[in-house]
Amino acid sequence: EDQVTQSPEALRLQEGESSSLNCSYTVSGLRGLFWYRQDPGKGPEFLFTLYSAGEEKEKERLKATLTKKESFLHITAPKPEDSATYLCAVQASSNTGKLIFGQGTTLQVKP
Amino acid sequence: DAGVIQSPRHEVTEMGQEVTLRCKPISGHDYLFWYRQTMMRGLELLIYFNNNVPIDDSGMPEDRFSAKMPNASFSTLKIQPSEPRDSAVYFCASSLPYTYTEAFFGQGTRLTVV
């Protein structure tokens, strides 16, 4: 069964304290791995797509990496506005339309 | 483009009543998805359409749930009869031809069934 597990469930950081979020996945042929950001009361907002092991994508203070079993979202020198829930999702090659989401990591960055 | 538009934003209804949620996808997007988000189960795909045709409805929890897409600019998710366990935030999302493309989500409809 295709599955996505994110850790930790919650993370508190001081402003400027870098860290990483983990997304472990089990899928029958990875078509793509997606990172989304969700603010309270809003829908998820797309951040990155990764397609193959070794690939990296960057956007401001965020960098996403991918291996054959997991993905990391690295946050460098975070700011309070980075506080949000970060969701990881996978798309299996066996089903082109379906995204399977993890439970998310809720990040709080304190000034 | 205004993005994916959902209505209503909030819905409170009594158990047993019919509920209809509405979605207008981004113009030009071929795929439309309905998701449900709860604290216990996270974000779950209920059904998705490609070019107005339902492709996978395996996530629809029960026969009480139905979804339609009569044209490229409108979709509905209906629950009849509604039950308290249907309380959740329901999201609609749309995307271009899905391969290697991200989905854009609406603001969601928060449904409370009392």
Side-chain angles (χ1 to χ4, degrees):
Chain A
E1 181 183 353
D2 299 334
Q3 195 168 357
V4 177
T5 303
Q6 291 188 245
S7 62
E9 289 187 12
L11 182 63
R12 289 184 178 181
L13 300 174
Q14 288 296 129
E15 184 171 4
E17 180 186 2
S18 301
S19 188
S20 295
L21 314 182
N22 177 263
C23 171
S24 298
Y25 63 89
T26 304
V27 65
S28 53
L30 182 70
R31 196 175 184 94
L33 184 140
F34 301 75
W35 282 98
Y36 283 81
R37 168 189 171 130
Q38 186 173 23
D39 291 300
K42 296 190 175 182
E45 177 185 351
F46 170 79
L47 292 173
F48 304 109
T49 305
L50 301 167
Y51 304 123
S52 56
E55 188 174 0
E56 298 182 354
K57 293 273 181 75
E58 286 190 64
K59 181 179 181 179
E60 296 181 355
R61 294 175 293 281
L62 301 177
K63 183 170 80 172
T65 61
L66 181 64
T67 72
K68 289 187 177 181
K69 294 183 178 181
E70 57 192 350
S71 176
F72 292 94
L73 185 65
H74 307 277
I75 304 176
T76 302
K79 298 182 178 182
E81 53 262 41
D82 295 323
S83 297
T85 295
Y86 291 85
L87 298 167
C88 170
V90 297
Q91 181 185 13
S93 60
S94 60
N95 188 328
T96 58
K98 187 173 183 178
L99 283 185
I100 300 167
F101 280 85
Q103 291 282 65
T105 294
T106 300
L107 172 66
Q108 183 181 22
V109 182
K110 295 188 172 182
Chain B
D1 199 312
V4 176
I5 300 173
Q6 292 186 245
S7 64
R9 290 293 311 277
H10 302 274
E11 177 80 35
V12 180
T13 191
E14 291 184 348
M15 183 174 62
Q17 296 298 306
E18 177 180 295
V19 176
T20 299
L21 311 182
R22 297 173 175 80
C23 175
K24 176 179 169 54
I26 294 173
S27 178
H29 281 192
D30 301 88
Y31 285 80
L32 183 138
F33 308 85
W34 282 101
Y35 285 89
R36 178 171 68 176
Q37 188 173 41
T38 61
M39 289 293 292
M40 289 295 295
R41 300 177 65 89
L43 197 60
E44 302 174 284
L45 178 67
L46 300 176
I47 184 172
Y48 78 93
F49 296 82
N50 180 22
N51 290 320
N52 313 336
V53 177
I55 303 300
D56 184 349
D57 65 355
S58 60
M60 297 285 263
E62 299 173 34
D63 291 345
R64 298 183 296 106
F65 286 70
S66 63
K68 294 182 179 179
M69 192 165 186
N71 57 62
S73 59
F74 184 67
S75 178
T76 59
L77 178 68
K78 185 176 293 185
I79 308 172
Q80 166 63 18
S82 58
E83 297 182 3
R85 59 195 168 117
D86 301 331
S87 297
V89 181
Y90 291 81
F91 288 103
C92 176
S94 69
S95 73
L96 291 167
Y98 207 77
T99 306
Y100 307 130
T101 301
E102 68 271 18
F104 292 82
F105 282 75
Q107 295 277 56
T109 294
R110 180 174 294 278
L111 173 65
T112 303
V113 183
V114 298

